[in-house]
C-alpha cells in the first residue's frame, strides 16, 4: 500500500530500531527527527531521494496503527 519514496504522496518506510545482532539499526536515531527535517533515502539501486518530515507519531510496541496508510 502507499507510494514508494520519491513519488508524490506519503511514503511509509519499515525498518528496525535495534536488535540482538544490530544494536544500532537503520532507525536507531529516528526519535531525533523533527518536523521540517530532511530525510535522505537510498534505494536498492543506489538512487537517492529526499523527503521532509511533516508529522511525527509514536506507537506502543504491540500496537497496530490503523491510520498509517
Amino acid at each position: 500500500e502507499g507510494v514508494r519514496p520519491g513519488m508524490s504522496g506519503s511514503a511509509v518506510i519499515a525498518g528496525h530500531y535495534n536488535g540482538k545482532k544490530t544494536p544500532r539499526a537503520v532507525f536507531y536515531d529516528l526519535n531525533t527527527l523533527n518536523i521540517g527535517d530532511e530525510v535522505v533515502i537510498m534505494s536498492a539501486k543506489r538512487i537517492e531521494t529526499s523527503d521532509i518530515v511533516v508529522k511525527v507519531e509514536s506507537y506502543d510496541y504491540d500496537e497496530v496503527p490503523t491510520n498509517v496508510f
Side-chain angles (χ1 to χ4, degrees):
E1 302 291 326
V3 300
R4 293 181 185 269
M7 295 174 66
S8 181
S10 296
V12 176
I13 303 168
H16 291 277
Y17 172 77
N18 64 5
K20 290 181 182 178
K21 295 183 181 180
T22 311
R24 291 182 61 103
V26 65
F27 286 142
Y28 186 79
D29 293 318
L30 190 65
N31 65 335
T32 66
L33 288 176
N34 294 298
I35 293 173
D37 286 348
E38 179 182 28
V39 178
V40 178
I41 300 127
M42 183 177 294
S43 74
K45 295 181 180 181
R46 310 218 30 99
I47 298 170
E48 285 189 4
T49 59
S50 64
D51 286 295
I52 302 298
V53 176
V54 296
K55 187 175 186 180
V56 176
E57 290 188 31
S58 296
Y59 301 96
D60 289 333
Y61 178 79
D62 58 353
E63 181 180 357
V64 178
T66 57
N67 62 341
V68 174
F69 293 103

